[in-house]
Amino acid sequence: MFGAIYGDVIGSYYEVHCTKDYNFVFNQDSSFTDDSVLIAAVCKAIIDDPSDITAFRVNARIKEYAALYRQYYAYYPHAGFGNMFIAWAKNPYAKNGRSYANGAAMRVIPIGYAYSNMEQTLLQAKVSGMPTHNNREAIKAAQAVAAAVYLARHGEGKDKIKEFLEKKFKYNLSIPLSVIKESHVFNCRSSYSVPPAIIAFLESTDYESAIRNAISLGGDADTQACIAGGIAEAYYKEIPEHIKRFCDRRIDGSIKAAVKEFDQKYWMA
Ligand SMILES: [Mg+2]
């Protein structure tokens, strides 16, 4: 799971200082952001209740996710959360939010590891998005990312992953990254930012190239690298030591603890 979090850390500086340079340096001011905080919350939600759900349990499960999102927001209120999320998190009576942004897709990576079939993976991805992203476009993006992780960790090739996502979610993943990059800007809308993040993985040759591809799009760098890095870790199953060394000291202890506990149960299983 650290593949997603390292992507967030390395991308954090370039979310503000956008770059199109593939060979950008890892900046000393990098830090974990809201992406990592909410991934830790999803890890905790799965550790606390790892069971499959049926349609009858959907509403109860949405409430469990919502409670953990609010709890983790309260731990790290200054981690870079968006205004809509903050307003939702501060109001315990708020209804499910309807954001179409990429927040549901950025935190969904653990779900790709935790369930034994695609149907449950897609249902859990939807439910994990619902508290704040009760929106068709945002849920679709979250499901696409969870499905990519699920397929990658089961050893499926990139062609199969691409074909599945194009068919199921009607994404065009055949546009070369070099073409997308020419006009790509910062925009956290799901339909705009998530497919290029998936392509950043599809065009990669290893973990590091996936996050370099994503960050050098010059867009929502931390979230796009979080998504590309999360899928890349599931696919390549290894992360270079120099990236671990750079990122590990930039992640807070309680995020690390939740993610490590999740990894011991699911990643190393
Ligand atoms: Mg962020």
Side-chain angles (χ1 to χ4, degrees):
M1 197 54 45
F2 282 96
I5 292 186
Y6 294 162
D8 175 40
V9 170
I10 295 168
S12 63
Y13 178 81
Y14 294 102
E15 179 190 16
V16 185
H17 307 86
C18 291
T19 183
K20 298 274 180 183
D21 179 8
Y22 178 88
N23 294 308
F24 65 83
V25 294
F26 293 1
N27 191 282
Q28 293 301 321
D29 291 336
S30 304
S31 172
F32 71 94
T33 79
D34 53 333
D35 306 51
S36 297
V37 173
L38 292 179
I39 284 175
V42 171
C43 285
K44 193 75 174 62
I46 296 168
I47 292 164
D48 287 353
D49 181 1
S51 56
D52 283 7
I53 50 169
T54 61
F56 302 107
R57 269 265 299 146
V58 162
N59 284 333
R61 189 66 177 143
I62 290 172
K63 286 194 181 121
E64 289 171 359
Y65 274 112
L68 279 161
Y69 297 158
R70 287 194 168 99
Q71 187 181 330
Y72 272 76
Y73 165 76
Y75 294 160
Y76 305 100
H78 305 299
F81 291 93
N83 290 335
M84 271 176 85
F85 184 91
I86 293 171
W88 173 86
K90 280 183 166 173
N91 176 4
Y93 305 106
K95 291 187 177 147
N96 294 339
R98 293 186 172 275
S99 170
Y100 57 62
N102 53 20
M106 85 189 183
R107 67 190 180 214
V108 83
I109 307 281
I111 287 175
Y113 284 92
Y115 301 99
S116 60
N117 61 71
M118 181 61 88
E119 196 185 352
Q120 185 65 209
T121 302
L122 295 178
L123 178 59
Q124 292 276 357
K126 178 180 175 180
V127 166
S128 74
M130 289 289 284
T132 49
H133 293 72
N134 183 13
N135 170 283
R136 187 187 298 215
E137 176 183 331
I139 295 295
K140 176 171 123 162
Q143 288 181 315
V145 173
V149 172
Y150 177 89
L151 294 170
R153 84 174 164 95
H154 282 98
E156 296 293 354
K158 287 182 186 165
D159 287 349
K160 174 82 190 285
I161 295 170
K162 177 171 178 275
E163 188 191 327
F164 182 89
L165 299 183
E166 287 191 323
K167 214 169 170 182
K168 177 95 185 157
F169 301 105
K170 306 284 180 276
Y171 282 154
N172 179 358
L173 301 175
S174 299
I175 312 170
L177 212 57
S178 58
V179 173
I180 296 172
K181 195 169 166 172
E182 283 172 15
S183 60
H184 199 77
V185 294
F186 184 100
N187 182 335
C188 54
R189 186 167 188 147
S190 300
S191 58
Y192 182 86
S193 61
V194 174
I198 296 170
I199 297 171
F201 155 70
L202 291 172
E203 287 196 16
S204 67
T205 52
D206 55 17
Y207 174 81
E208 182 164 354
S209 69
I211 56 168
R212 285 191 176 278
N213 280 344
I215 290 168
S216 62
L217 277 163
D220 189 1
D222 59 333
T223 296
Q224 288 177 302
C226 174
I227 292 169
I231 304 169
E233 182 188 28
Y235 185 83
Y236 297 111
K237 299 180 172 58
E238 58 178 19
I239 296 175
E241 282 303 320
H242 75 98
I243 291 185
K244 291 183 191 170
R245 271 200 307 276
F246 179 83
C247 295
D248 276 339
R249 58 200 157 92
R250 294 179 157 83
I251 306 164
D252 194 70
S254 88
I255 294 176
K256 249 185 222 170
V259 174
K260 266 190 185 154
E261 190 180 349
F262 181 89
D263 271 1
Q264 272 160 8
K265 194 164 174 202
Y266 294 99
W267 200 86
M268 295 166 188

